[in-house]
Amino acid sequence: MLTRRNGEALRIGPEVRIRVLSISRGQVRLGVEAPADLLVLRDEVYERVVEANREAAEPGVEGTP
Amino acid sequence: MSDAVWVEVAHRRVGDIRLPESAVIRFAGLPGFPEARRFALFQHDQDSPFSWLACLDDPDLAFVVTDPRLFFPDYAPGIPSRALEALGADGACELLSIANLRGERPCLNLAAPLVVDATSRRGVQVVLEEKQHAIAQALPEDAAKQAPARSGAAGTASGGTGTSDGVEAPEVERPG
């Protein structure tokens, strides 16, 4: 765990930097710098896709083995 | 082609797969399936709009995919350029959607399409931030009837010839 103030940043490895852009009324705006092949998404958006993929990968009720 | 390296997988969802190494499509994992990296893409049936995207690393994993614009001609997702950069894509890319044919009403995931670069044979599932694309967009009633899971074909990959994009078709053999 670490604490950051407005305008400060943290790094994850050599290529990812996350900066606190502003804090206001319970909302934090973050700026993310990351390589193009790294997926940067809101967690809940990603989790929805995980769930959709898992459901789609299940064998069909009928027909498929 | 005599030196072609062939990949063979006894796949439990789609039957035996045999295709040249050069036809393998590589993903850096998919959301929910981080270890799924090598895939074979082939048509379910000559007349079907649906294809199989069968994982070569996991013989139990296969997705039914289709060109979403066959069903939704106006679908034009803005694929972020950084996603294309990551593919090394400089030319034509194939756009596919994962179909979920299990529920009462079959649907396509339009919120997270697959983009496959025809040249590099690399693919990525792009998660769109645009809110107008549904993660479970119901297919038109008649379209669903052509879906593999409901055709009674027991999920076997018949033929496997003639992919739509002119890329060398993987050879898929029927089990048994």
Side-chain angles (χ1 to χ4, degrees), chain A residues 9-30:
Chain A
L10 65 89
R11 272 185 189 269
I12 302 172
E15 295 184 297
V16 178
R17 180 157 65 183
I18 301 170
R19 187 181 294 280
V20 179
L21 298 177
S22 68
I23 308 165
S24 148
R25 276 174 285 178
Q27 277 206 332
V28 183
R29 292 189 68 214
L30 302 171

Side-chain angles (χ1 to χ4, degrees), chain B residues 87-168:
Chain B
L87 279 184
D90 51 3
C93 285
E94 197 174 350
L95 183 71
L96 296 166
S97 286
I98 294 178
N100 183 344
L101 306 172
R102 298 174 58 239
E104 279 290 294
R105 191 77 190 269
C107 54
L108 294 187
N109 181 349
L110 298 184
L114 306 172
V115 180
V116 177
D117 178 46
T119 312
S120 68
R121 308 297 286 161
R122 288 168 70 193
V124 67
Q125 185 170 23
V126 180
V127 183
L128 301 173
E129 295 271 6
E130 307 163 40
K131 294 220 174 9
Q132 68 263 38
H133 302 305
I135 201 158
Q137 176 68 54
L139 279 173
E141 199 88 33
D142 53 333
K145 294 193 183 111
Q146 305 169 63
R150 307 199 159 222
S151 67
T156 53
S158 57
T161 51
T163 50
S164 57
D165 57 358
V167 174
E168 186 180 353

